[in-house]
């Protein structure tokens, strides 16, 4: 009740202060003017309506970002709500407005729009509005809007919120652009925007050394992946003379794998890129540390959006690389390894948010593995959408718990210390919505995660039956057991039992996004009919059309009676619960060496620090000595240059230039 | 006809006197600002006169004879590219100097020399023959000698200035030697068009003489371009000069002089493009490795501008040698983007040093440990520095990426001609782009760390608006050229096409 009164007071202040209203009014007017001018420019150049809408969806967050500082003149409330409504919800609406078009379009002719960008070097900005891309954009817009709404309360006590909202909006725009662009160079553009925003938001509390360091780590590690994307796209450009993914796909589909070398190079580079962005082994080390950022950032960037970028890149380019030898196998191995290793770490981690982070890595490993299976494109992308919903939900629930603990300062919540804080009596909404997310994660019907996870396991077990896929099935099933273990552990510690800390339910602005996401988690699987129908038209060889009754039939009748996948799942769930109940006894049995290895997180961090960072410093330190200040030596440089140029020319002439 | 071609020089020439008198008047009335305003106004007028030339671009090349048959000016797209960059930078830098130089004396020398530095730089682009080019080049060089050593009271400045004069003087001598060989070969003709015709199809002894001329031109102008191993003056001179001057030097008009003089030779006979490209690779790697452990902000930026000269040389070298239009476009566009990025970086560094000097009382060059954590007190300046740091390391969507990307593409497009070597050039450039993150990221991090001592920066506030305005304008240019590169390519592309044609493009 007091909160409401306070909020009311703030609004009153806003209305009564004439100077305060100017900023927000001006921001709104400029926003509308900018929008109108884009629409006008679009129609003046005869750009079709869907392309105009797509351009708007990409640019609206950017425009809102530029106007946030103006709106901030009217106080922090105006700033937050301007960002949420104009930047967040209008963008979400625009992305959703693309969906009917994408579902109904004739493929692939209708969905590719090429806009002029850099005519001097003949580069066009391609928009590809197919269902997969639009879905990724919708996830960006929708989760972004909800995260912004959530931030209005969650972040209210922070400083530097103009920066926060600007970067959040920049991120949302980047994610939508990433989903919708077809041109590889534009894709790289948005990909880097995502990385920069992630860097800036992880280090949001940059006065805190650990936060700043974590941001830097994330940026450097993902940057290794970026080299992959840049080299890969340049290789494809050399081979095919175009930067359009669709044009390259069409060329590969027609002529097959002719340019094997280029495709192998590009395919390998893209795997590297995906591993960096989507936190796959061995480049996964940045994601747990990324939890130093605000929880809204974790939910938006490190659960629902940016970490999907790598998976999306692989899914998008699967038709190009699928026949490249060993490409899919490599993806499968990386994905399965990641899923298992991260799940093991999740079972021993005690920090609430970091458990969810390891869980995210593990689930991303699932998606990656699915893309590596023969015929697994649908399973992987389907899991991507479901996972975005329930993982964003789980992170926002964690945020709600943190809010109840006293606010954003408690970003590290030791699960043993906050026992039972979100029990059903204290925080009913948070508790139930988190449970829904958890059940989706474990894979219980009817929640979204169940269907896609089941599909992944079934594809692995019933695919081409090669030994590598069967091994992968074993690993993924084992991971499913561990998933149950750490999920149960989380729920057991934080959401059950007598509360160790007194707390009350978070305010409505925080719980409403939770409820919306919980609802989405429950129904997101129904999307499969529309999704596969339109994607089947685009990629008939990769994606079959599955209707909802068909999915139910396949999962419950076929897999239950003909092939025993569902039984395997049930066994996984039960044994997972069993392992959870006897976890202490199992832990006692684990040899000390293994414990040490797990405690060191398999030693990846030590390896990077001990070898690469050290080598880097010693090498650059010794190179520095070459520069002397002595003028006599410096003049010798001119002589040296003559020597070099003569030798070089002689060599070139001898070598026939 | 063609009188408008000389208008920019006349305006700058008048500006030199006007600025001198304005400074004298200002010194009498105890107003150190007036000279800067006058200089900025003259830069703005000159910029407008260049714009008037630009709208006549269908008539290019516009010629104007100073002494008929001996020296004359020729306006083409390349001239205007350089002129736009130099004059825009000059305008911003003189606004910046109003406040930045307010504690210096002898401003009546500073502002006129800034104008003559600009006049020399744009003259390099306008020159139609090697003789006038050399005159303009020396005008630029001599102005910069004085400006680099402007703060003569400081020991390091004098040392750096001395080193700069010696090396640059050697370079000029070698360059004029090279030009004189050309003079002898063509029988007294130095006009670029005539020389190009005279040098086509060389044989025997004259071919060897041409080789020697090419070597001398590359090495002579290469000193100013800072090709490794001729770069040794730069890490001393850039930090010693007032940052406003360093920002002007970072435009590298010497590179345009090099391109103009060298492109008269037939590339199919003398592989100068390939030589430049190989020098570019050496330059990039050496400079980036040297910058990695650098702890002084201005020296770090100085090393980085050596490395960036490498990118430009790589694009232009490959472009000239193999007739790759995209390489020329990328190289020339990189001159533009780099000028604004690096200028911005130096201006930000200068703003930090200026503010610190106000507190400590003396001007110190900024060690990274010294400025650690200053980002909390000067957020706008440090954010701008971070943005340009990312841009310089080639992160999209900023301008540096766009031009570097074109250069990467140039490396790949010569692959059909020279096979794996093209890949080598492209990957060297890509690798260096990522390598440079190795010093820009720690720089950004240092700016926002906690200061070494509590309350070290107590009382330090953001610099005044006069310093911030040029910085913010350049941030806007850096971001806009990254998202809409067409704005810059509008000028850079015709210039590249012109070079492409005269180098017998598309072979």
């Amino acid at each position: 009740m007091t909160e409401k009164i306070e909020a009311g007071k703030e609004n009153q202040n806003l209305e009564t202060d004439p100077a305060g209203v100017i900023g927000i009014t001006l921001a709104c007017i400029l926003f509308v003017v900018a929008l109108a001018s884009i629409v006008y420019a679009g129609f003046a150049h005869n750009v079709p309506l869907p392309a105009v809408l797509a351009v708007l969806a990409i640019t609206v967050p950017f425009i809102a970002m530029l106007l946030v500082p103006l709106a901030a003149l009217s106080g922090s409330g105006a700033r937050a709500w301007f960002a949420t409504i104009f930047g967040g919800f209008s963008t979400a609406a625009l992305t959703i407005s693309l969906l009917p078009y994408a579902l109904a379009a004739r493929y692939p002719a209708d969905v590719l729009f090429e806009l002029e960008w850099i005519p001097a070097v003949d580069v066009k900005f391609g928009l590809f509005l197919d269902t997969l891309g639009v879905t990724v954009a919708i996830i960006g817009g929708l989760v972004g809007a909800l995260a912004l709404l959530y931030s209005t309360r969650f972040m209210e006590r922070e400083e530097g919120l103009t920066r926060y909202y600007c970067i959040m909006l920049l991120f949302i725009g980047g994610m939508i652009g990433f989903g919708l662009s077809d041109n590889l160079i534009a894709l790289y553009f948005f990909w880097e925007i995502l990385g920069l925003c992630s860097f800036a938001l992880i280090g949001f509390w940059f006065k805190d050394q650990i936060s700043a360091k974590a941001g830097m780590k994330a940026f450097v590690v993902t940057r290794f992946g970026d080299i992959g994307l840049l080299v890969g796209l340049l290789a494809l450009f050399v081979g095919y003379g175009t930067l359009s993914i669709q044009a390259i796909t069409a060329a590969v589909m027609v002529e097959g794998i002719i340019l094997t070398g280029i495709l192998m190079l590009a395919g390998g580079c893209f795997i590297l890129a995906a591993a960096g962005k989507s936190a796959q082994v061995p480049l996964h080390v940045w994601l747990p540390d990324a939890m130093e950022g605000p929880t809204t950032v974790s939910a938006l960037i490190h659960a629902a959006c940016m970490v999907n970028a790598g998976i999306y890149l692989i899914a998008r380019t699967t038709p190009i690389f699928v026949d490249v030898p060993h490409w899919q196998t490599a993806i499968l191995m990386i994905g399965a390894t990641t899923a298992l290793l991260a799940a093991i770490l999740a079972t021993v981690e005690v920090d609430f948010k970091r458990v969810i982070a390891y869980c995210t890595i593990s689930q991303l490993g699932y998606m990656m593995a699915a893309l590596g299976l023969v015929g697994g494109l649908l399973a992987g992308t389907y899991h991507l959408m479901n996972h975005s919903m329930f993982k964003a939900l789980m992170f926002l629930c964690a945020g709600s718990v943190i809010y109840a603990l006293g606010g954003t300062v408690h970003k590290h919540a030791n699960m043993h210390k906050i026992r039972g804080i979100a029990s059903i009596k204290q925080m009913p909404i948070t508790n139930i919505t988190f449970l829904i997310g958890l059940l989706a994660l474990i894979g219980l019907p009817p929640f979204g995660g169940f269907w896609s996870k089941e599909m992944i396991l079934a594809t692995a077990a019933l695919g081409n039956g090669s030994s590598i896929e069967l091994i992968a099935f074993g690993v993924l099933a084992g991971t499913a057991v561990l998933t149950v273990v750490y999920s149960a552990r989380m729920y057991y510690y934080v959401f059950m039992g007598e509360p160790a800390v007194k707390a009350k339910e978070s305010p409505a602005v925080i719980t409403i996004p939770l409820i919306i996401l919980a609802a989405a988690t429950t129904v997101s699987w129904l999307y499969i009919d529309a999704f596969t129908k339109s994607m089947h038209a685009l990629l008939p060889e990769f994606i079959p059309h599955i209707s909802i009754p068909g999915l139910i039939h396949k999962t419950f009748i076929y897999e239950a009676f003909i092939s025993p996948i569902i039984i395997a799942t049930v066994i996984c769930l039960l044994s997972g619960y069993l392992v959870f109940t006897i976890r202490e006894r199992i832990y006692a049995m684990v040899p000390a060496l293994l414990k040490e290895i797990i405690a060191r997180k398999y030693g990846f961090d030590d390896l990077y620090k001990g070898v690469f960072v050290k080598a880097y410093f010693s090498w650059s330190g010794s190179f520095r000595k070459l520069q002397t200040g002595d003028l006599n030596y410096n003049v010798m440089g001119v002589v040296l240059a003559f020597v070099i140029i003569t030798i070089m020319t002689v060599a070139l002439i001898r070598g026939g230039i | 006809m063609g009188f408008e071609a000389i208008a920019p020089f006349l305006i700058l020439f008048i500006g030199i006197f006007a600025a001198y008198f304005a400074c004298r008047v200002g010194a009498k009335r105890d107003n150190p600002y007036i000279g800067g305003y006058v200089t900025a106004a003259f830069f703005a007028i000159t910029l407008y006169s260049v714009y008037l030339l630009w709208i006549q671009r269908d008539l290019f090349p516009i010629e104007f004879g100073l002494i008929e048959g001996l020296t004359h000016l020729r306006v083409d797209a390349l001239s205007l590219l350089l002129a736009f960059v130099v004059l825009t930078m000059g305008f911003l830098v003189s606004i910046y100097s109003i406040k930045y130089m307010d504690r210096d004396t002898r401003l009546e020398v500073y502002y006129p020399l800034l104008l003559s530095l600009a006049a020399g730089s744009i003259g390099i682009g306008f020159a139609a023959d090697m003789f006038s080019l050399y005159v303009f080049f020396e005008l630029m060089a001599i102005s910069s000698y004085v400006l680099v050593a402007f703060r003569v009271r400081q020991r390091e400045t004098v040392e750096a200035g001395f080193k700069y004069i010696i090396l640059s003087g050697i370079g000029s001598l070698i360059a004029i030697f090279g030009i004189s060989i050309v003079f002898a070969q063509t029988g007294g003709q130095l006009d670029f068009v005539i020389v190009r015709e005279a040098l086509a199809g060389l044989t025997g002894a004259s071919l060897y003489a041409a080789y020697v001329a090419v070597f001398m031109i590359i090495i002579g102008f290469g000193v100013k371009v800072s090709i490794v191993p001729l770069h040794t003056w730069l890490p001393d001179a850039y930090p010693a000069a007032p940052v406003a001057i360093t920002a002007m030097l970072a435009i590298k008009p010497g590179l345009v002089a090099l391109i103009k003089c060298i492109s008269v030779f037939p590339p199919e006979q003398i592989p100068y493009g390939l030589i430049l490209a190989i020098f570019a690779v050496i330059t990039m790697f050496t400079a980036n490795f040297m910058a990695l452990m650098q702890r002084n902000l201005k020296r770090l930026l100085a090393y980085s501008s050596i490395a960036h000269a490498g990118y430009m040389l790589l694009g232009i070298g490959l472009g000239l040698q193999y007739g790759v239009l995209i390489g020329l476009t990328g190289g020339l566009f990189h001159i533009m983007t780099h000028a604004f990025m690096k200028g911005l970086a130096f201006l930000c560094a200068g703003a930090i040093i200026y503010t610190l000097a106000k507190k400590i009382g003396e001007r110190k060059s900024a060690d990274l440990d010294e400025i650690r954590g200053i980002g909390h007190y000067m957020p706008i300046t440090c954010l701008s520095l971070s943005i340009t740091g990312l841009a310089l390391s080639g992160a999209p969507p900023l301008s540096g990426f766009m031009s570097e990307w074109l250069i990467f593409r140039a490396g790949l497009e010569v692959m059909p001609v020279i096979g794996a070597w093209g890949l080598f050039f492209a990957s060297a450039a890509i690798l260096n782009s990522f390598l440079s993150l190795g010093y820009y990221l720690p720089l950004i991090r240092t700016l926002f760390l906690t200061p070494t001592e509590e309350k070290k920066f107590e009382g330090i506030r953001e610099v005044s608006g006069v310093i911030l305005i040029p910085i913010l304008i350049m941030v806007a240019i850096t971001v806009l050229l990254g998202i809409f590169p067409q704005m810059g390519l509008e000028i850079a592309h015709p210039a590249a096409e012109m070079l492409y044609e005269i180098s017998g493009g598309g072979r």
Side-chain angles (χ1 to χ4, degrees):
Chain A
M1 200 56 207
T2 50
E3 280 154 11
K4 267 186 189 167
I5 292 167
E6 273 168 25
K9 264 183 194 165
E10 209 173 346
N11 284 338
Q12 263 178 3
N13 285 343
L14 209 79
E15 279 157 19
T16 48
D17 181 10
V21 186
I22 292 173
I24 182 83
T25 319
L26 210 58
C28 294
I29 293 170
L30 285 176
F31 183 81
V32 174
V33 168
L35 237 62
S37 52
I38 291 175
V39 173
Y40 175 76
F43 285 115
H45 291 87
N46 284 327
V47 180
L49 180 66
V52 173
L53 285 176
V55 170
L56 276 179
I58 297 171
T59 48
V60 159
F62 295 149
I63 295 167
M65 175 192 85
L66 294 176
L67 295 175
V68 162
L70 196 58
L73 296 178
S74 307
S76 67
R79 171 177 58 196
W81 287 104
F82 178 81
T84 308
I85 294 168
F86 287 86
F89 281 97
S90 60
T91 311
L94 280 166
T95 51
I96 292 171
S97 73
L98 292 172
L99 188 61
Y101 180 79
L103 291 177
R106 279 177 293 114
Y107 282 85
D110 276 2
V111 286
L112 183 60
F113 302 95
E114 298 213 309
L115 309 176
E116 284 293 336
W117 186 23
I118 322 173
V121 290
D122 198 23
V123 171
K124 289 202 164 73
F125 185 86
L127 283 167
F128 190 64
L129 308 179
D130 75 331
T131 317
L132 179 59
V134 169
T135 307
V136 169
I138 289 176
I139 292 171
L142 195 64
V143 180
L146 293 176
L148 285 172
L149 176 65
Y150 189 99
S151 303
T152 54
R153 273 318 281 278
F154 186 73
M155 297 293 288
E156 63 189 353
R157 280 169 247 172
E158 294 300 325
E159 277 176 21
L161 280 183
T162 305
R163 176 166 50 98
Y164 172 80
Y165 284 111
C166 283
I167 304 172
M168 286 288 266
L169 287 169
L170 180 63
F171 178 85
I172 294 170
M175 193 65 212
I176 292 168
F178 182 74
L180 298 180
S181 50
D182 172 54
N183 182 306
L184 279 166
I185 205 78
L187 206 71
Y188 184 68
F189 241 70
F190 291 118
W191 174 279
E192 281 294 319
I193 290 180
L194 302 185
L196 284 175
C197 293
S198 160
F199 161 61
L201 284 172
I202 294 170
F204 175 70
W205 290 294
F206 57 81
K207 289 186 182 168
D208 177 2
Q209 307 285 320
I210 302 170
S211 286
K213 227 174 177 171
M216 196 63 76
K217 184 175 174 184
F219 195 59
V220 171
V221 175
T222 50
R223 210 53 195 161
F224 278 99
D226 300 350
I227 301 180
L229 183 57
L230 186 58
V231 174
L233 74 88
L234 283 169
L236 284 178
F237 178 73
V238 169
Y240 292 92
T242 171
L243 285 163
S244 160
I245 298 177
Q246 292 313 309
I248 297 171
T249 311
V252 172
M253 290 231 178
V254 170
E255 64 191 30
I257 305 288
I258 293 177
L259 305 162
T260 320
I262 278 178
L263 284 176
M264 278 176 85
L265 175 68
C269 285
F270 278 16
I271 293 178
L272 177 68
K277 213 63 159 183
S278 291
Q280 301 291 301
V281 169
L283 296 179
H284 65 285
V285 288
W286 63 272
L287 188 56
D289 287 2
M291 296 301 121
E292 293 296 330
T295 311
T296 42
V297 171
S298 311
L300 176 63
I301 300 186
H302 306 115
C305 291
M306 188 187 86
V307 287
N308 287 344
I311 307 290
Y312 174 72
L313 178 74
I314 295 290
R316 194 40 112 203
T317 50
T318 292
I320 300 178
F321 299 117
V322 70
D323 290 330
V324 174
H326 309 302
W327 189 74
Q328 278 206 312
T329 320
I331 290 181
L332 178 61
M333 277 157 60
I334 291 174
T337 316
T338 308
L340 183 66
L341 291 184
I344 293 173
L345 289 181
T347 55
V348 294
E349 181 62 58
V350 291
D351 188 299
F352 188 27
K353 271 179 77 184
R354 285 177 79 101
V355 178
I356 311 181
Y358 280 120
C359 163
T360 308
I361 301 178
S362 174
Q363 294 300 310
L364 290 166
Y366 258 103
M367 297 173 212
M368 195 79 169
L371 295 176
L373 295 168
V374 174
L377 186 57
L378 173 60
T381 47
Y382 191 33
H383 198 53
L384 185 151
M385 324 175 209
N386 289 328
H387 173 258
S388 303
M389 291 299 142
F390 70 72
K391 190 49 64 66
L393 169 62
M394 285 168 71
F395 267 116
L396 289 183
C397 285
S400 172
V401 170
I402 286 167
Y403 187 83
L405 272 171
T408 42
V409 280
H410 297 272
K411 58 184 173 183
H412 298 293
N414 186 321
M415 293 202 296
H416 296 291
K417 294 203 177 127
I418 58 165
R419 270 213 72 171
I421 178 168
S423 68
I424 192 99
K425 279 181 209 147
Q426 288 205 32
M427 304 176 71
I429 302 175
T430 308
N431 189 312
I432 289 171
T433 48
F434 190 82
L435 185 63
I436 290 173
L438 214 57
L439 293 179
L441 166 70
I442 293 170
L444 279 186
F447 302 108
F450 164 75
W451 306 97
S452 47
K453 211 167 178 182
E454 202 58 38
M455 195 184 279
I456 293 175
L457 290 174
T459 317
L462 311 175
N464 61 358
S466 66
S467 54
I468 186 103
E469 290 204 350
L470 289 178
I471 294 170
F473 171 73
V475 173
L476 292 179
T479 308
V481 176
L482 291 170
T483 309
V484 179
V485 176
Y486 64 72
S487 303
R489 183 165 164 266
M490 258 192 287
Y491 195 75
Y492 174 76
Y493 278 124
V494 183
F495 295 88
M496 277 168 75
E498 269 311 300
V501 194
K502 279 241 177 287
K504 58 177 194 260
E505 185 58 274
S506 306
V509 184
I510 290 184
T511 48
I512 286 171
L514 298 185
I515 294 167
I516 294 173
L517 282 172
T521 302
T522 318
V523 298
S524 63
W525 62 282
L526 294 169
Y527 184 46
I528 188 149
D529 186 22
F531 179 70
T532 51
K533 192 175 173 194
S534 58
M535 287 306 284
H536 178 70
L538 178 68
L539 298 166
E541 295 137 65
F542 293 95
I543 294 186
H545 177 204
I546 298 177
S547 62
I548 294 167
L551 181 70
I552 294 172
H553 175 268
K554 178 174 169 291
T555 310
F556 284 121
I557 311 290
Y558 178 78
E559 286 176 9
F561 296 108
I562 317 275
S563 67
I565 298 301
I566 201 121
I567 296 165
T569 315
V570 173
I571 293 171
C572 282
L573 292 178
L574 290 178
S575 57
Y577 187 70
L578 188 71
V579 171
F580 172 70
T581 52
I582 57 165
R583 63 190 183 284
E584 269 147 25
R585 252 178 285 168
I586 292 180
Y587 191 69
M589 286 192 315
V590 174
L593 180 66
L594 194 59
K595 272 184 199 162
E596 178 67 19
I597 290 173
I598 292 175
R600 282 178 174 272
K601 322 232 158 25
Y602 314 117
F604 282 108
D605 278 323
D606 299 335
L607 176 76
Y608 296 147
K609 244 188 217 142
V611 179
F612 295 121
V613 178
K614 223 178 196 171
Y616 167 84
F617 276 112
S618 75
W619 161 246
S620 47
S622 58
F623 209 88
R624 205 18 217 101
K625 297 189 183 109
L626 275 181
Q627 171 80 12
T628 69
D630 193 332
L631 185 57
N632 294 332
Y633 285 108
N634 293 346
V635 176
M636 289 303 287
V638 178
V639 182
L640 183 64
F642 267 110
V643 174
I644 293 177
I645 201 170
T646 315
I647 295 173
M648 206 169 6
T649 314
V650 171
L652 286 175
I653 292 172
R654 282 278 172 83
I657 305 180
Chain B
M1 256 310 281
F3 182 72
E4 52 282 45
I6 202 167
F9 297 99
L10 289 180
I11 298 167
L12 287 175
F13 190 66
I14 298 166
I16 289 171
F17 291 99
Y20 177 78
F21 285 117
C23 287
R24 291 302 293 265
V25 171
K28 247 179 214 160
R29 299 199 179 158
D30 215 19
N31 178 356
Y33 304 131
I34 194 165
Y37 287 118
V38 171
T39 313
F42 273 94
F43 270 121
I45 299 168
T46 320
L47 202 54
Y48 181 69
S49 74
V50 171
Y51 172 74
L52 289 181
L53 282 170
W54 170 245
I55 52 179
Q56 304 178 42
R57 58 186 175 278
D58 297 335
L59 301 175
F60 283 172
I62 299 171
E63 305 228 6
F64 180 78
L66 285 174
I67 304 167
E68 213 55 56
L70 186 59
T71 69
H72 55 288
L73 302 176
R74 184 179 296 132
V75 188
D76 50 33
L78 183 60
S79 335
L80 288 194
L81 171 71
L82 189 62
F84 268 125
V85 175
V86 168
L87 294 171
T88 315
M89 281 294 293
F91 176 68
L92 296 172
V93 152
S94 43
I95 293 177
Y96 180 88
S97 300
I98 292 170
K99 194 82 187 160
Y100 175 73
M101 297 297 287
D102 64 350
R103 270 170 274 151
D104 279 271
T105 50
R106 297 191 299 127
L107 288 180
E108 71 274 13
V109 180
Y110 176 82
Y111 285 114
L113 279 174
L114 183 60
L115 285 161
S116 71
L117 176 69
S121 304
I122 64 172
I124 290 172
F126 279 61
D129 59 291
M130 287 192 185
F131 175 72
S132 9
L133 183 133
Y134 188 76
V135 171
F136 282 122
F137 182 79
E138 282 299 295
L139 175 62
M140 176 199 81
I142 292 168
S143 313
S144 67
Y145 295 154
V146 184
L147 286 171
V148 164
F150 186 70
R151 286 168 178 158
V152 283
R153 301 262 173 82
Q154 289 163 351
R155 205 182 61 81
E156 300 90 15
T157 308
V158 177
E159 192 197 330
F162 182 66
K163 197 179 275 184
Y164 178 45
I165 291 176
I166 298 285
L167 278 162
S168 188
I170 293 174
S172 297
L173 270 180
I174 296 175
I176 192 79
F177 201 166
I179 290 174
S180 68
I181 296 175
V182 175
F183 188 76
Q185 283 216 307
T186 57
Q189 293 291 340
L190 282 175
D191 187 304
F192 289 116
V193 178
I194 300 170
V195 172
R196 190 169 300 116
E197 283 164 9
L199 289 179
L202 292 170
T203 47
S206 54
L207 180 60
Y208 284 111
Y211 265 114
V212 176
V214 164
F215 289 1
M216 297 215 157
I217 287 172
I218 289 181
I219 290 175
F221 290 122
V223 173
K224 268 285 193 310
V225 185
S226 74
I227 298 174
V228 171
L230 305 165
H231 67 285
T232 40
W233 59 274
L234 195 149
D236 290 329
Y238 272 29
V243 287
I245 300 308
T246 319
M248 289 298 282
L249 292 180
I251 303 170
K252 298 194 186 297
L255 181 61
V256 177
L258 176 59
I259 299 168
K260 284 183 84 158
C261 283
I262 203 143
S263 60
V264 297
F265 294 94
E268 59 270 27
Q269 282 186 298
I270 305 173
Y272 56 81
L274 203 52
I275 291 174
L276 287 182
I278 295 170
F279 264 127
V281 175
I282 299 174
T283 304
M284 284 190 290
F285 274 108
T286 315
N288 272 329
F289 277 128
M290 281 187 172
L292 281 178
M293 287 305 272
Q294 192 48 252
R295 298 301 300 163
N296 181 302
L297 177 56
K298 282 166 93 178
R299 280 183 86 91
L300 188 151
L301 295 174
Y303 278 114
S304 158
S305 54
I306 302 176
H308 279 270
Y311 289 113
M312 303 168 197
L313 280 174
L314 183 62
I316 290 167
L318 290 176
L320 286 175
Q321 185 72 50
Y322 301 104
V324 184
L325 181 57
I326 205 118
L328 294 168
T329 313
L332 293 177
F333 188 39
H334 199 67
I335 294 182
M336 180 191 272
T337 56
H338 174 256
F340 290 115
M341 291 188 292
K342 192 53 65 62
L344 172 57
F346 275 116
L347 294 194
C348 290
I352 293 171
I353 293 166
Y354 174 85
T355 317
L356 279 182
K358 218 193 242 170
K359 182 173 165 69
I360 302 166
E362 53 173 321
R363 283 181 196 274
K364 291 184 80 171
S365 63
D367 268 350
L368 286 187
D369 300 322
E370 194 73 23
I371 59 165
R372 185 177 146 166
I374 198 153
H376 303 296
Y377 300 88
M378 303 174 65
I380 302 178
T381 312
C382 290
L383 197 65
S384 311
L385 185 53
S386 308
I387 289 174
T388 180
L390 289 170
L392 283 163
S393 63
L398 302 164
S399 63
F401 170 73
M402 262 303 155
S403 45
E404 284 173 24
W405 173 65
L406 295 177
I407 296 167
F408 304 155
R409 262 180 70 176
L412 294 170
E413 285 200 0
V414 295
M415 273 181 78
V417 192
I418 49 174
W421 283 101
L423 193 63
F424 165 75
F425 286 126
S427 38
I430 293 176
L431 201 63
N432 271 288
S433 154
F434 283 94
L435 205 56
S436 59
L437 262 186
Y439 48 91
Y440 281 120
L441 273 185
L443 166 64
I444 296 169
R445 191 169 147 223
T446 307
L447 291 176
F448 293 100
L449 281 175
T450 339
T452 37
E453 303 151 36
E454 278 285 301
K455 301 188 175 170
K456 182 180 177 187
F457 298 125
E458 191 92 323
I460 280 188
R461 277 183 300 133
E462 191 58 80
V463 283
S464 72
V466 186
I467 288 186
L468 272 188
I469 287 169
I471 288 180
L472 290 178
I473 292 175
M474 286 163 85
V475 169
I477 293 175
T478 302
V479 175
L480 283 178
L481 281 183
I483 301 173
F484 304 109
Q486 185 61 29
M487 291 183 344
L489 287 172
E490 203 74 50
I491 313 174
H493 193 63
E497 271 177 335
M498 193 201 76
L499 272 182
Y500 178 72
E501 266 159 38
I502 64 172
S503 71
R507 274 184 320 278

